[in-house]
Amino acid sequence: SQQGEEDPQALSIQEGENATMNCSYKTSINNLQWYRQNSGRGLVHLILIRSNEREKHSGRLRVTLDTSKKSSSLLITASRAADTASYFCATSGGSNYKLTFGKGTLLTVNP
Amino acid sequence: IAGITQAPTSQILAAGRRMTLRCTQDMRHNAMYWYRQDLGLGLRLIHYSNTAGTTGKGEVPDGYSVSRANTDDFPLTLASAVPSQTSVYFCASSPGLAGPNEQFFGPGTRLTVL
């Protein structure tokens, strides 16, 4: 069964606005990762946050993690048309390296 | 060029035929994975391998088999394809070392089973 669930399923914004996507999960995790997928391409890793971290930044990306609520958010600031893509959260738990992906949020940034 | 390659890019296959999707990585990663991506269902893990010589079942392994004879290659075989296996298949790898691992994805294979 799916571990992560993204919300919203789709998001449409104007260039320059901020985009926030949320991810909820069900069981304990070691880390949570966010990936991006452009149409027709493979996934690309964006950022990883460990279970003992609460916030992490990378360029225009800001990720938060609330393990008490089993949720994470991805904020993209000052969005660009090139940010148009699907964004997936993925969780990792246990002693192996497997990830469980959510169904994704389709972000459309209009120029 | 470092990364993961998949072949073929796309394939149309008659039901009942046998098909092997190829995946090769040149990053010397220990762990490799096969996912299928279907509209509305996201990515689902089919099989994985933590290191050469070992494999494991993922969320949706039925109808698929894998082998890991060496570090670089991780082929996925459909012994007798069925229309429900129409999907986009992604191969991925990760270092497989202690600690959190990001995964690196190939470009995907679009498979249609008629």
Side-chain angles (χ1 to χ4, degrees), chain A residues 1-2 31 33 35 37 41-43 45 48 50 88 97-99 101 103, chain B residues 33 35 37 40-41 45 48 50 59 90 96-97 100-103 105-106:
Chain A
S1 62
Q2 295 289 351
N31 66 80
Q33 304 180 31
Y35 287 79
Q37 183 181 33
R41 308 290 291 273
L43 278 73
H45 181 265
L48 180 153
R50 299 172 187 247
F88 295 87
Y97 314 116
K98 292 187 293 182
L99 293 176
F101 286 83
K103 298 178 183 179
Chain B
Y33 316 84
Y35 296 91
Q37 185 175 32
L41 295 177
L45 183 66
Y48 67 97
N50 284 336
E59 183 184 354
F90 288 99
L97 304 173
N101 279 225
E102 70 174 271
Q103 292 188 10
F105 281 78

Side-chain angles (χ1 to χ4, degrees), chain A residues 36-44 81-88, chain B residues 90:
Chain A
R36 165 195 170 124
Q37 183 181 33
N38 288 84
S39 180
R41 308 290 291 273
L43 278 73
V44 175
D83 293 329
T84 294
S86 291
Y87 292 82
F88 295 87
Chain B
F90 288 99

